[in-house]
Amino acid sequence: MEIQVEVYLPEDVLIQILSRLPVKSLMRFRTVCKSWNSLVKSSAFVSKHLENHTNSSTVKNISRLLVCHRDNPTNKRKISLFTNDNLKEFVSQELSPFFDNKFGHIRLIGPCNGIVCLYGFTDNIALWNPSIGEFKTLPVSPIPRPPDARILGGDLAFGFDSKTNHYKVMQILFCSSNKFGAAYHVEIYNLTTDSWREYGGIVPANIMYVNIWSMLYRTETFCWWAKDGDHEIILSFDMANEEFKRSPLPSDIEDLGGAHRITRAIVPMNESIALIVYPQKQVEKFFDLWVMKELGVEESWTRLSTIGPLSGIERPLGFWNKGEFILENSFGELVLYDHCIQQIKNLGLQGKRDRLEVVVYMESLVALNSGSES
């Protein structure tokens, strides 16, 4: 005779248990019963799960590499995700029609609380949460652009406004017209209202567009490598206050250009802003690594180390796990450099050179629609 025993758990205990589980498990558990489905979709639980997996040392949330690349044999654009610790397995997928071949290049921006912003070119923007499979193409902005203006290019910022709990996308358009000359035109999209509005302020510096030149800092501040007159700076935008801030670069870094074409990259590193100074035109490259303590503060940079010489490396792409250096080699392959053992590991992914886009991704339940319940 089979005896069934029902075990009752208080809701607060159930929430504590479930909020420590990976997203994949929670997506399955939503089918257990209506009450679990409502719980996992609720905004309070989504926030609790995000907090646990972002800040708690008791929850293991493995970071993954999300890589946008073109498959060499087919030339199709794909996004690949490292799904385990041993770097042997990619799960690749072909993307929605948003990513068809009219885009020469797709940028991955963020991620912010598990959401990745994707940018093809002007007015072609999407948000994507790979963990829950939600994808949203943003509506085209109805904001009138400067009269008779030609749009020469554009850039994006993406982040979270903690004051309103809204996700925002800023589109910066570089416009030129006979009447107004060259100028920035800035629009801000709000995910909650699904709407665009014009930004009333000015962009106080010239954003640089070479190599790796922008990043999201601590979910709420977006940063660019920029120039203020003759001075190089980090230009940052606070999503909550909607204000720009200028932070100087270290005074004793190598000058731009020269015979070896010295350049910069700014990338996230352990919740900090890392500046990488390196030569583009040397076969054996040295990478000088600086870290910023606080935005807007003079003398805020600390020089950590010099990595190299490394042979056959094209450019840096970021940092992963315990300081592993993510790089693209001269063949367009993705590699990791472990500074402790001074070894390079090829990750087995190759694309078009200078077309790899990489972000370090951590999963979340954050939805892109109004389906979350309060």
Side-chain angles (χ1 to χ4, degrees):
M1 179 178 179
E2 183 179 347
I3 301 176
Q4 294 183 346
V5 178
E6 292 187 6
V7 178
Y8 171 77
L9 290 176
E11 183 170 314
D12 59 338
V13 175
L14 180 64
I15 290 174
Q16 288 295 331
I17 294 172
L18 294 181
S19 65
R20 284 166 164 75
L21 297 179
V23 169
K24 185 177 181 179
S25 299
L26 292 171
M27 296 299 284
R28 291 201 308 267
F29 291 166
R30 281 173 53 177
T31 64
V32 170
C33 60
K34 289 183 178 180
S35 62
W36 279 34
N37 181 49
S38 297
L39 172 63
V40 172
K41 290 171 62 178
S42 70
S43 58
F45 182 84
V46 170
S47 298
K48 178 70 173 176
H49 182 270
L50 183 64
E51 179 185 358
N52 280 346
H53 286 256
T54 301
N55 302 320
S56 176
S57 59
T58 64
V59 177
K60 184 180 181 182
N61 191 13
I62 301 170
S63 64
R64 298 152 169 86
L65 283 186
L66 201 63
V67 186
C68 186
H69 60 104
R70 280 190 179 273
D71 181 63
N72 265 344
T74 65
N75 202 38
K76 288 183 178 180
R77 187 177 287 106
K78 293 183 176 181
I79 285 188
S80 295
L81 178 69
F82 276 113
T83 57
N84 53 21
D85 292 327
N86 58 20
L87 306 181
K88 289 182 179 178
E89 183 181 353
F90 266 96
V91 175
S92 295
Q93 66 179 73
E94 295 180 16
L95 303 174
S96 76
F98 176 83
F99 299 95
D100 64 26
N101 286 328
K102 69 182 178 182
F103 297 98
H105 187 49
I106 294 291
R107 285 183 55 207
L108 303 181
I109 301 171
C112 180
N113 294 339
I115 302 174
V116 181
C117 183
L118 305 108
Y119 184 45
F121 54 78
T122 303
D123 292 327
N124 286 268
I125 308 164
L127 297 176
W128 181 39
N129 185 335
S131 300
I132 61 176
E134 284 195 6
F135 186 93
K136 178 179 177 61
T137 302
L138 270 56
V140 174
S141 169
I143 307 298
R145 276 74 192 262
D148 303 319
R150 291 183 299 114
I151 297 175
L152 305 179
D155 193 41
L156 289 191
F158 171 53
F160 180 66
D161 176 353
S162 61
K163 290 184 177 180
T164 62
N165 290 331
H166 292 170
Y167 291 89
K168 296 177 179 177
V169 176
M170 170 187 273
Q171 180 169 222
I172 302 175
L173 301 178
F174 317 128
C175 301
S176 176
S177 68
N178 294 330
K179 183 175 181 180
F180 297 99
Y184 287 115
H185 174 80
V186 183
E187 304 161 348
I188 295 178
Y189 170 82
N190 187 309
L191 177 61
T192 302
T193 61
D194 194 29
S195 62
W196 289 91
R197 59 183 170 83
E198 187 170 359
Y199 175 67
I202 63 169
V203 182
N206 293 318
I207 296 171
M208 303 287 282
Y209 297 95
V210 182
N211 199 8
I212 307 299
W213 27 261
S214 65
M215 58 166 280
L216 180 63
Y217 174 60
R218 296 181 182 176
T219 74
E220 296 197 40
T221 304
F222 202 84
C223 301
W224 299 265
W225 171 36
K227 270 199 169 183
D228 184 8
D230 294 330
H231 302 286
E232 293 181 75
I233 63 168
I234 298 293
L235 178 67
S236 58
F237 184 78
D238 185 300
M239 289 290 170
N241 299 322
E242 295 194 353
E243 293 178 346
F244 284 99
K245 181 182 291 184
R246 289 168 286 196
S247 305
L249 262 61
S251 58
D252 52 348
I253 58 176
E254 287 190 77
D255 292 334
L256 281 173
H260 300 301
R261 286 183 58 186
I262 300 298
T263 190
R264 328 285 192 221
I266 59 168
V267 296
M269 183 182 181
N270 299 328
E271 296 295 310
S272 298
I273 298 172
L275 171 71
I276 305 168
V277 181
Y278 70 100
Q280 287 182 297
K281 290 298 183 180
Q282 282 186 327
V283 176
E284 289 196 335
K285 291 183 172 66
F286 288 89
F287 300 89
D288 291 334
L289 178 60
W290 299 73
V291 173
M292 175 181 278
K293 296 177 182 176
E294 186 175 354
L295 280 166
V297 177
E298 295 283 347
E299 304 301 326
S300 186
W301 292 96
T302 299
R303 183 171 180 171
L304 290 187
S305 62
T306 296
I307 300 173
L310 301 181
S311 298
I313 296 299
E314 186 69 20
R315 62 190 180 122
L317 297 173
F319 293 93
W320 191 28
N321 291 333
K322 299 177 181 179
E324 293 164 307
F325 202 13
I326 312 167
L327 302 152
E328 179 184 345
N329 70 16
S330 302
F331 300 102
E333 297 170 327
L334 197 64
V335 300
L336 279 184
Y337 176 72
D338 189 322
H339 185 58
C340 295
I341 60 176
Q342 298 185 358
Q343 287 184 359
I344 290 179
K345 177 183 291 186
N346 193 312
L347 301 188
L349 185 147
Q350 184 175 16
K352 302 293 184 181
R353 206 173 83 173
D354 292 332
R355 284 295 180 263
L356 289 175
E357 285 282 338
V358 177
V359 295
V360 177
Y361 179 79
M362 299 187 79
E363 63 181 17
S364 83
L365 290 163
V366 177
L368 301 178
N369 52 44
S370 57
S372 291
E373 302 162 10
S374 56

